[in-house]
Amino acid sequence: MYITQIKNGKVEIRKISGSLVRTIGNGDAVSADLNSDQSLVVITTIKGKVEIRKINGSLVRTIGNGNAIDAKWYNNEIAISTDRGKTELRKESGSLIRTF
């Protein structure tokens, strides 16, 4: 079981005991969230982009419109809060399901 922590813009993947597993990202992260099987991390950057990365740190894809302030996993979908007060629900592939 892992948890995420943001330190100096980098995402730290840590064991529940607190020991560091690895550091991922480009140094511009403001939030991060692990999916339910802990194989993927969704990272929101300071530039409003949302990155999906494998647990080893490799980039899978960038999604969204560049106006994200936070992103969280909900099952296999990602809820992205935007700077316009909306929430975009997106598939793991990045395609938009709905906005509310």
Side-chain angles (χ1 to χ4, degrees):
M1 187 99 185
Y2 299 120
I3 59 171
T4 59
Q5 180 179 11
I6 307 295
K7 196 173 275 187
N8 297 323
K10 296 266 188 177
V11 178
E12 294 181 345
I13 307 294
R14 293 187 172 270
K15 292 182 180 178
I16 291 296
S17 65
S19 61
L20 180 66
V21 176
R22 73 182 46 85
T23 303
I24 62 175
N26 297 325
D28 59 355
V30 293
S31 72
D33 190 42
L34 290 160
N35 68 346
S36 59
D37 68 3
Q38 299 200 325
S39 62
L40 297 171
V41 182
V42 65
I43 300 171
T44 309
T45 69
I46 205 163
K47 297 175 185 173
K49 304 240 181 212
V50 175
E51 298 176 347
I52 299 175
R53 290 185 177 266
K54 291 182 181 177
I55 196 77
N56 67 9
S58 63
L59 181 66
V60 175
R61 70 182 49 85
T62 302
I63 62 173
N65 299 322
N67 60 349
I69 56 174
D70 194 25
K72 298 283 182 203
W73 286 101
Y74 289 97
N75 297 320
N76 292 329
E77 297 167 348
I78 302 163
I80 301 173
S81 300
T82 69
D83 60 4
R84 295 183 182 104
K86 302 276 185 180
T87 299
E88 297 175 353
L89 190 61
R90 292 185 175 267
K91 293 182 181 178
E92 188 178 311
S93 65
S95 61
L96 182 65
I97 298 170
R98 72 176 79 58
T99 301
F100 46 94

